[in-house]
Every structure is written in structure tokens, then in C-alpha cells.
mmCIF file of all heavy atoms in Angstrom:
data_model
loop_
_atom_site.group_PDB
_atom_site.id
_atom_site.type_symbol
_atom_site.label_atom_id
_atom_site.label_comp_id
_atom_site.label_asym_id
_atom_site.label_seq_id
_atom_site.Cartn_x
_atom_site.Cartn_y
_atom_site.Cartn_z
ATOM 1 N N SER A 1 55.938 27.023 154.753
ATOM 2 C CA SER A 1 57.349 27.410 154.551
ATOM 3 C C SER A 1 58.201 26.199 154.228
ATOM 4 O O SER A 1 59.068 26.259 153.341
ATOM 5 C CB SER A 1 57.890 28.102 155.802
ATOM 6 O OG SER A 1 57.227 29.315 156.014
ATOM 7 N N ARG A 2 57.981 25.113 154.925
ATOM 8 C CA ARG A 2 58.749 23.894 154.659
ATOM 9 C C ARG A 2 58.519 23.411 153.225
ATOM 10 O O ARG A 2 59.467 23.055 152.520
ATOM 11 C CB ARG A 2 58.347 22.780 155.627
ATOM 12 C CG ARG A 2 58.795 22.996 157.049
ATOM 13 C CD ARG A 2 58.158 21.926 157.945
ATOM 14 N NE ARG A 2 58.475 22.104 159.330
ATOM 15 C CZ ARG A 2 59.279 21.298 160.029
ATOM 16 N NH1 ARG A 2 59.828 20.256 159.452
ATOM 17 N NH2 ARG A 2 59.517 21.528 161.295
ATOM 18 N N LEU A 3 57.245 23.384 152.832
ATOM 19 C CA LEU A 3 56.915 22.927 151.478
ATOM 20 C C LEU A 3 57.468 23.885 150.421
ATOM 21 O O LEU A 3 57.963 23.444 149.384
ATOM 22 C CB LEU A 3 55.399 22.787 151.334
ATOM 23 C CG LEU A 3 54.787 21.649 152.144
ATOM 24 C CD1 LEU A 3 53.279 21.809 152.243
ATOM 25 C CD2 LEU A 3 55.163 20.304 151.549
ATOM 26 N N ARG A 4 57.413 25.167 150.687
ATOM 27 C CA ARG A 4 57.947 26.160 149.744
ATOM 28 C C ARG A 4 59.440 25.935 149.507
ATOM 29 O O ARG A 4 59.912 25.984 148.377
ATOM 30 C CB ARG A 4 57.700 27.582 150.256
ATOM 31 C CG ARG A 4 58.204 28.664 149.293
ATOM 32 C CD ARG A 4 57.860 30.069 149.750
ATOM 33 N NE ARG A 4 56.422 30.294 149.628
ATOM 34 C CZ ARG A 4 55.584 30.398 150.663
ATOM 35 N NH1 ARG A 4 56.021 30.337 151.902
ATOM 36 N NH2 ARG A 4 54.301 30.591 150.468
ATOM 37 N N ARG A 5 60.175 25.675 150.581
ATOM 38 C CA ARG A 5 61.625 25.441 150.436
ATOM 39 C C ARG A 5 61.905 24.210 149.566
ATOM 40 O O ARG A 5 62.821 24.224 148.741
ATOM 41 C CB ARG A 5 62.279 25.300 151.801
ATOM 42 C CG ARG A 5 62.428 26.624 152.534
ATOM 43 C CD ARG A 5 63.309 26.513 153.766
ATOM 44 N NE ARG A 5 62.790 25.605 154.777
ATOM 45 C CZ ARG A 5 61.947 25.931 155.750
ATOM 46 N NH1 ARG A 5 61.499 27.181 155.835
ATOM 47 N NH2 ARG A 5 61.560 25.048 156.629
ATOM 48 N N VAL A 6 61.111 23.167 149.734
ATOM 49 C CA VAL A 6 61.305 21.958 148.923
ATOM 50 C C VAL A 6 61.044 22.276 147.455
ATOM 51 O O VAL A 6 61.837 21.906 146.580
ATOM 52 C CB VAL A 6 60.395 20.809 149.407
ATOM 53 C CG1 VAL A 6 60.451 19.636 148.443
ATOM 54 C CG2 VAL A 6 60.796 20.360 150.809
ATOM 55 N N LEU A 7 59.955 22.973 147.179
ATOM 56 C CA LEU A 7 59.622 23.277 145.785
ATOM 57 C C LEU A 7 60.554 24.301 145.164
ATOM 58 O O LEU A 7 60.807 24.252 143.961
ATOM 59 C CB LEU A 7 58.170 23.737 145.665
ATOM 60 C CG LEU A 7 57.114 22.678 145.970
ATOM 61 C CD1 LEU A 7 55.727 23.221 145.683
ATOM 62 C CD2 LEU A 7 57.353 21.387 145.228
ATOM 63 N N GLU A 8 61.070 25.220 145.959
ATOM 64 C CA GLU A 8 62.043 26.174 145.421
ATOM 65 C C GLU A 8 63.319 25.455 145.010
ATOM 66 O O GLU A 8 63.946 25.808 144.016
ATOM 67 C CB GLU A 8 62.349 27.268 146.438
ATOM 68 C CG GLU A 8 61.246 28.296 146.542
ATOM 69 C CD GLU A 8 61.450 29.304 147.672
ATOM 70 O OE1 GLU A 8 62.362 29.118 148.515
ATOM 71 O OE2 GLU A 8 60.677 30.282 147.719
ATOM 72 N N ALA A 9 63.691 24.436 145.761
ATOM 73 C CA ALA A 9 64.892 23.665 145.429
ATOM 74 C C ALA A 9 64.672 22.786 144.202
ATOM 75 O O ALA A 9 65.598 22.555 143.432
ATOM 76 C CB ALA A 9 65.309 22.811 146.621
ATOM 77 N N ASP A 10 63.443 22.309 144.024
ATOM 78 C CA ASP A 10 63.136 21.456 142.876
ATOM 79 C C ASP A 10 61.680 21.666 142.459
ATOM 80 O O ASP A 10 60.785 20.941 142.921
ATOM 81 C CB ASP A 10 63.385 19.986 143.211
ATOM 82 C CG ASP A 10 63.283 19.088 141.987
ATOM 83 O OD1 ASP A 10 62.861 19.562 140.915
ATOM 84 O OD2 ASP A 10 63.614 17.893 142.111
ATOM 85 N N PRO A 11 61.415 22.634 141.595
ATOM 86 C CA PRO A 11 60.043 22.941 141.174
ATOM 87 C C PRO A 11 59.335 21.762 140.493
ATOM 88 O O PRO A 11 58.108 21.734 140.437
ATOM 89 C CB PRO A 11 60.214 24.103 140.191
ATOM 90 C CG PRO A 11 61.529 24.704 140.523
ATOM 91 C CD PRO A 11 62.382 23.577 141.032
ATOM 92 N N ARG A 12 60.096 20.800 139.993
ATOM 93 C CA ARG A 12 59.466 19.636 139.347
ATOM 94 C C ARG A 12 58.634 18.817 140.322
ATOM 95 O O ARG A 12 57.773 18.054 139.911
ATOM 96 C CB ARG A 12 60.539 18.753 138.702
ATOM 97 C CG ARG A 12 61.286 19.453 137.569
ATOM 98 C CD ARG A 12 62.441 18.634 137.098
ATOM 99 N NE ARG A 12 63.364 18.468 138.234
ATOM 100 C CZ ARG A 12 64.424 17.685 138.234
ATOM 101 N NH1 ARG A 12 64.712 16.974 137.181
ATOM 102 N NH2 ARG A 12 65.205 17.603 139.295
ATOM 103 N N LEU A 13 58.872 18.995 141.618
ATOM 104 C CA LEU A 13 58.117 18.244 142.620
ATOM 105 C C LEU A 13 56.698 18.778 142.814
ATOM 106 O O LEU A 13 55.893 18.164 143.515
ATOM 107 C CB LEU A 13 58.863 18.261 143.957
ATOM 108 C CG LEU A 13 60.179 17.495 143.964
ATOM 109 C CD1 LEU A 13 60.964 17.809 145.227
ATOM 110 C CD2 LEU A 13 59.916 16.012 143.848
ATOM 111 N N ALA A 14 56.391 19.899 142.203
ATOM 112 C CA ALA A 14 55.058 20.494 142.354
ATOM 113 C C ALA A 14 53.966 19.546 141.872
ATOM 114 O O ALA A 14 52.904 19.450 142.490
ATOM 115 C CB ALA A 14 54.981 21.823 141.608
ATOM 116 N N ARG A 15 54.202 18.849 140.790
ATOM 117 C CA ARG A 15 53.190 17.917 140.266
ATOM 118 C C ARG A 15 52.903 16.812 141.287
ATOM 119 O O ARG A 15 51.761 16.469 141.534
ATOM 120 C CB ARG A 15 53.654 17.320 138.945
ATOM 121 C CG ARG A 15 52.668 16.289 138.401
ATOM 122 C CD ARG A 15 53.043 15.798 137.038
ATOM 123 N NE ARG A 15 52.577 16.808 136.087
ATOM 124 C CZ ARG A 15 53.223 17.150 134.995
ATOM 125 N NH1 ARG A 15 54.345 16.577 134.681
ATOM 126 N NH2 ARG A 15 52.739 18.063 134.194
ATOM 127 N N GLU A 16 53.954 16.282 141.894
ATOM 128 C CA GLU A 16 53.771 15.240 142.916
ATOM 129 C C GLU A 16 53.070 15.792 144.151
ATOM 130 O O GLU A 16 52.247 15.116 144.753
ATOM 131 C CB GLU A 16 55.115 14.640 143.325
ATOM 132 C CG GLU A 16 55.668 13.629 142.357
ATOM 133 C CD GLU A 16 56.897 12.960 142.937
ATOM 134 O OE1 GLU A 16 56.859 12.527 144.107
ATOM 135 O OE2 GLU A 16 57.892 12.879 142.208
ATOM 136 N N LEU A 17 53.416 17.025 144.531
ATOM 137 C CA LEU A 17 52.757 17.642 145.679
ATOM 138 C C LEU A 17 51.278 17.852 145.379
ATOM 139 O O LEU A 17 50.426 17.628 146.240
ATOM 140 C CB LEU A 17 53.430 18.960 146.057
ATOM 141 C CG LEU A 17 52.825 19.682 147.262
ATOM 142 C CD1 LEU A 17 52.867 18.815 148.523
ATOM 143 C CD2 LEU A 17 53.549 21.000 147.497
ATOM 144 N N ARG A 18 50.958 18.276 144.175
ATOM 145 C CA ARG A 18 49.558 18.452 143.780
ATOM 146 C C ARG A 18 48.805 17.122 143.884
ATOM 147 O O ARG A 18 47.697 17.056 144.395
ATOM 148 C CB ARG A 18 49.479 19.024 142.363
ATOM 149 C CG ARG A 18 48.096 19.054 141.738
ATOM 150 C CD ARG A 18 47.029 19.739 142.545
ATOM 151 N NE ARG A 18 47.237 21.143 142.685
ATOM 152 C CZ ARG A 18 46.521 21.925 143.487
ATOM 153 N NH1 ARG A 18 45.539 21.429 144.217
ATOM 154 N NH2 ARG A 18 46.767 23.203 143.591
ATOM 155 N N SER A 19 49.422 16.045 143.423
ATOM 156 C CA SER A 19 48.796 14.715 143.521
ATOM 157 C C SER A 19 48.604 14.303 144.973
ATOM 158 O O SER A 19 47.556 13.760 145.345
ATOM 159 C CB SER A 19 49.637 13.661 142.798
ATOM 160 O OG SER A 19 49.645 13.909 141.423
ATOM 161 N N LEU A 20 49.617 14.550 145.796
ATOM 162 C CA LEU A 20 49.514 14.243 147.221
ATOM 163 C C LEU A 20 48.343 15.007 147.836
ATOM 164 O O LEU A 20 47.532 14.436 148.564
ATOM 165 C CB LEU A 20 50.823 14.612 147.933
ATOM 166 C CG LEU A 20 50.823 14.549 149.459
ATOM 167 C CD1 LEU A 20 50.697 13.108 149.930
ATOM 168 C CD2 LEU A 20 52.094 15.189 150.006
ATOM 169 N N LEU A 21 48.253 16.273 147.525
ATOM 170 C CA LEU A 21 47.181 17.105 148.057
ATOM 171 C C LEU A 21 45.813 16.604 147.587
ATOM 172 O O LEU A 21 44.911 16.393 148.401
ATOM 173 C CB LEU A 21 47.389 18.560 147.619
ATOM 174 C CG LEU A 21 46.324 19.563 148.032
ATOM 175 C CD1 LEU A 21 46.245 19.674 149.548
ATOM 176 C CD2 LEU A 21 46.615 20.913 147.404
ATOM 177 N N ASP A 22 45.671 16.394 146.285
ATOM 178 C CA ASP A 22 44.376 16.024 145.723
ATOM 179 C C ASP A 22 43.946 14.597 146.067
ATOM 180 O O ASP A 22 42.762 14.347 146.299
ATOM 181 C CB ASP A 22 44.395 16.177 144.197
ATOM 182 C CG ASP A 22 44.510 17.623 143.758
ATOM 183 O OD1 ASP A 22 44.275 18.531 144.588
ATOM 184 O OD2 ASP A 22 44.852 17.855 142.579
ATOM 185 N N ASP A 23 44.907 13.673 146.089
ATOM 186 C CA ASP A 23 44.567 12.260 146.231
ATOM 187 C C ASP A 23 44.621 11.731 147.656
ATOM 188 O O ASP A 23 43.906 10.786 147.996
ATOM 189 C CB ASP A 23 45.498 11.399 145.364
ATOM 190 C CG ASP A 23 45.420 11.761 143.892
ATOM 191 O OD1 ASP A 23 44.403 12.356 143.472
ATOM 192 O OD2 ASP A 23 46.383 11.470 143.159
ATOM 193 N N GLU A 24 45.480 12.314 148.488
ATOM 194 C CA GLU A 24 45.700 11.742 149.817
ATOM 195 C C GLU A 24 45.233 12.637 150.970
ATOM 196 O O GLU A 24 44.712 12.134 151.952
ATOM 197 C CB GLU A 24 47.199 11.448 150.017
ATOM 198 C CG GLU A 24 47.800 10.530 148.986
ATOM 199 C CD GLU A 24 47.347 9.096 149.108
ATOM 200 O OE1 GLU A 24 46.888 8.684 150.200
ATOM 201 O OE2 GLU A 24 47.436 8.378 148.097
ATOM 202 N N ILE A 25 45.461 13.927 150.860
ATOM 203 C CA ILE A 25 45.205 14.791 152.015
ATOM 204 C C ILE A 25 43.810 15.411 151.979
ATOM 205 O O ILE A 25 43.043 15.286 152.929
ATOM 206 C CB ILE A 25 46.282 15.892 152.127
ATOM 207 C CG1 ILE A 25 47.664 15.256 152.237
ATOM 208 C CG2 ILE A 25 46.018 16.760 153.355
ATOM 209 C CD1 ILE A 25 48.802 16.233 152.157
ATOM 210 N N THR A 26 43.473 16.079 150.885
ATOM 211 C CA THR A 26 42.179 16.757 150.811
ATOM 212 C C THR A 26 40.998 15.809 151.045
ATOM 213 O O THR A 26 40.059 16.180 151.755
ATOM 214 C CB THR A 26 42.035 17.505 149.472
ATOM 215 O OG1 THR A 26 43.119 18.428 149.352
ATOM 216 C CG2 THR A 26 40.724 18.268 149.405
ATOM 217 N N PRO A 27 41.005 14.592 150.519
ATOM 218 C CA PRO A 27 39.850 13.711 150.740
ATOM 219 C C PRO A 27 39.574 13.366 152.207
ATOM 220 O O PRO A 27 38.443 13.038 152.546
ATOM 221 C CB PRO A 27 40.199 12.445 149.946
ATOM 222 C CG PRO A 27 41.129 12.913 148.889
ATOM 223 C CD PRO A 27 41.937 14.007 149.541
ATOM 224 N N VAL A 28 40.563 13.465 153.092
ATOM 225 C CA VAL A 28 40.321 13.129 154.506
ATOM 226 C C VAL A 28 39.800 14.315 155.303
ATOM 227 O O VAL A 28 39.389 14.157 156.446
ATOM 228 C CB VAL A 28 41.581 12.543 155.195
ATOM 229 C CG1 VAL A 28 42.138 11.366 154.419
ATOM 230 C CG2 VAL A 28 42.641 13.594 155.440
ATOM 231 N N LEU A 29 39.802 15.493 154.696
ATOM 232 C CA LEU A 29 39.370 16.696 155.416
ATOM 233 C C LEU A 29 37.843 16.782 155.465
ATOM 234 O O LEU A 29 37.167 16.422 154.512
ATOM 235 C CB LEU A 29 39.911 17.945 154.721
ATOM 236 C CG LEU A 29 41.422 18.111 154.679
ATOM 237 C CD1 LEU A 29 41.790 19.322 153.832
ATOM 238 C CD2 LEU A 29 41.984 18.237 156.078
ATOM 239 N N PRO A 30 37.309 17.304 156.560
ATOM 240 C CA PRO A 30 35.876 17.584 156.614
ATOM 241 C C PRO A 30 35.535 18.662 155.573
ATOM 242 O O PRO A 30 36.384 19.470 155.195
ATOM 243 C CB PRO A 30 35.655 18.120 158.028
ATOM 244 C CG PRO A 30 36.885 17.795 158.789
ATOM 245 C CD PRO A 30 37.994 17.612 157.810
ATOM 246 N N ALA A 31 34.294 18.691 155.138
ATOM 247 C CA ALA A 31 33.865 19.598 154.062
ATOM 248 C C ALA A 31 34.267 21.057 154.277
ATOM 249 O O ALA A 31 34.773 21.684 153.348
ATOM 250 C CB ALA A 31 32.364 19.465 153.841
ATOM 251 N N PRO A 32 34.080 21.643 155.473
ATOM 252 C CA PRO A 32 34.465 23.060 155.621
ATOM 253 C C PRO A 32 35.964 23.295 155.393
ATOM 254 O O PRO A 32 36.363 24.297 154.798
ATOM 255 C CB PRO A 32 34.084 23.394 157.060
ATOM 256 C CG PRO A 32 33.084 22.366 157.458
ATOM 257 C CD PRO A 32 33.428 21.141 156.675
ATOM 258 N N GLU A 33 36.782 22.360 155.849
ATOM 259 C CA GLU A 33 38.229 22.526 155.646
ATOM 260 C C GLU A 33 38.609 22.243 154.202
ATOM 261 O O GLU A 33 39.535 22.849 153.676
ATOM 262 C CB GLU A 33 39.001 21.619 156.596
ATOM 263 C CG GLU A 33 38.905 22.115 158.010
ATOM 264 C CD GLU A 33 39.843 21.397 158.929
ATOM 265 O OE1 GLU A 33 41.039 21.285 158.586
ATOM 266 O OE2 GLU A 33 39.384 20.963 159.986
ATOM 267 N N ARG A 34 37.913 21.324 153.578
ATOM 268 C CA ARG A 34 38.174 21.027 152.177
ATOM 269 C C ARG A 34 37.936 22.289 151.349
ATOM 270 O O ARG A 34 38.707 22.589 150.440
ATOM 271 C CB ARG A 34 37.251 19.902 151.711
ATOM 272 C CG ARG A 34 37.749 19.206 150.492
ATOM 273 C CD ARG A 34 36.934 17.982 150.127
ATOM 274 N NE ARG A 34 36.807 17.061 151.236
ATOM 275 C CZ ARG A 34 35.650 16.517 151.628
ATOM 276 N NH1 ARG A 34 34.533 16.792 151.007
ATOM 277 N NH2 ARG A 34 35.619 15.679 152.644
ATOM 278 N N ALA A 35 36.906 23.034 151.687
ATOM 279 C CA ALA A 35 36.603 24.273 150.958
ATOM 280 C C ALA A 35 37.716 25.301 151.136
ATOM 281 O O ALA A 35 38.020 26.061 150.210
ATOM 282 C CB ALA A 35 35.270 24.844 151.437
ATOM 283 N N ARG A 36 38.361 25.338 152.315
ATOM 284 C CA ARG A 36 39.468 26.281 152.537
ATOM 285 C C ARG A 36 40.678 25.924 151.699
ATOM 286 O O ARG A 36 41.466 26.782 151.318
ATOM 287 C CB ARG A 36 39.888 26.276 154.007
ATOM 288 C CG ARG A 36 38.975 27.037 154.886
ATOM 289 C CD ARG A 36 39.467 27.159 156.305
ATOM 290 N NE ARG A 36 40.780 26.627 156.588
ATOM 291 C CZ ARG A 36 41.175 26.277 157.799
ATOM 292 N NH1 ARG A 36 40.392 26.409 158.825
ATOM 293 N NH2 ARG A 36 42.384 25.801 157.994
ATOM 294 N N VAL A 37 40.838 24.642 151.424
ATOM 295 C CA VAL A 37 42.018 24.166 150.713
ATOM 296 C C VAL A 37 41.838 24.237 149.204
ATOM 297 O O VAL A 37 42.773 24.537 148.475
ATOM 298 C CB VAL A 37 42.346 22.719 151.144
ATOM 299 C CG1 VAL A 37 43.389 22.095 150.260
ATOM 300 C CG2 VAL A 37 42.779 22.700 152.591
ATOM 301 N N GLU A 38 40.650 23.952 148.741
ATOM 302 C CA GLU A 38 40.396 23.957 147.307
ATOM 303 C C GLU A 38 40.245 25.393 146.850
ATOM 304 O O GLU A 38 39.212 26.011 147.011
ATOM 305 C CB GLU A 38 39.143 23.145 146.990
ATOM 306 C CG GLU A 38 39.330 21.678 147.309
ATOM 307 C CD GLU A 38 38.053 20.871 147.202
ATOM 308 O OE1 GLU A 38 36.947 21.462 147.248
ATOM 309 O OE2 GLU A 38 38.158 19.657 147.076
ATOM 310 N N THR A 39 41.302 25.927 146.324
ATOM 311 C CA THR A 39 41.318 27.335 145.957
ATOM 312 C C THR A 39 41.150 27.504 144.456
ATOM 313 O O THR A 39 41.489 26.632 143.666
ATOM 314 C CB THR A 39 42.642 28.002 146.369
ATOM 315 O OG1 THR A 39 43.713 27.326 145.725
ATOM 316 C CG2 THR A 39 42.825 27.977 147.863
ATOM 317 N N LEU A 40 40.639 28.626 144.100
ATOM 318 C CA LEU A 40 40.489 28.998 142.716
ATOM 319 C C LEU A 40 41.281 30.276 142.523
ATOM 320 O O LEU A 40 41.057 31.267 143.221
ATOM 321 C CB LEU A 40 39.006 29.236 142.403
ATOM 322 C CG LEU A 40 38.666 29.760 141.018
ATOM 323 C CD1 LEU A 40 39.058 28.728 139.963
ATOM 324 C CD2 LEU A 40 37.191 30.059 140.937
ATOM 325 N N VAL A 41 42.215 30.246 141.613
ATOM 326 C CA VAL A 41 43.023 31.424 141.342
ATOM 327 C C VAL A 41 42.657 31.913 139.953
ATOM 328 O O VAL A 41 42.736 31.180 138.976
ATOM 329 C CB VAL A 41 44.533 31.093 141.412
ATOM 330 C CG1 VAL A 41 45.362 32.304 141.029
ATOM 331 C CG2 VAL A 41 44.899 30.575 142.775
#
């Protein structure tokens, strides 16, 4: 919800959030949690 509010206020931040997710957060997760985060739509 917090992240949604930030992106609703400024959708241009989505690219930076994607980079944060891919480069900083997802790599520290254990494999099972990484699979929960890496979604395919």
C-alpha cells in the first residue's frame, strides 16, 4: 500500500522501483522467496 501510494503520485518512479527490486532486494532473498517475487504476468 505504501509503495502503491508513491507510484500513484508519480508513476515515473516505477522504473526506479523496478531497478531497486531487481538489483538490490530480490538478490538477497532465499530462492523460495525469490520465486514468490519474480512474477510472470
Side-chain angles (χ1 to χ4, degrees):
S1 295
R2 289 172 183 250
L3 291 165
R4 182 175 290 109
R5 285 191 298 272
V6 172
L7 293 186
E8 284 173 350
D10 189 351
R12 296 172 299 172
L13 293 168
R15 177 174 279 143
E16 281 188 48
L17 181 59
R18 171 54 67 189
S19 294
L20 171 68
L21 177 63
D22 292 344
D23 301 339
E24 303 289 339
I25 302 172
T26 303
V28 307
L29 296 174
E33 289 190 49
R34 201 173 307 132
R36 282 186 5 202
V37 169
E38 294 172 340
T39 59
L40 175 64
V41 176

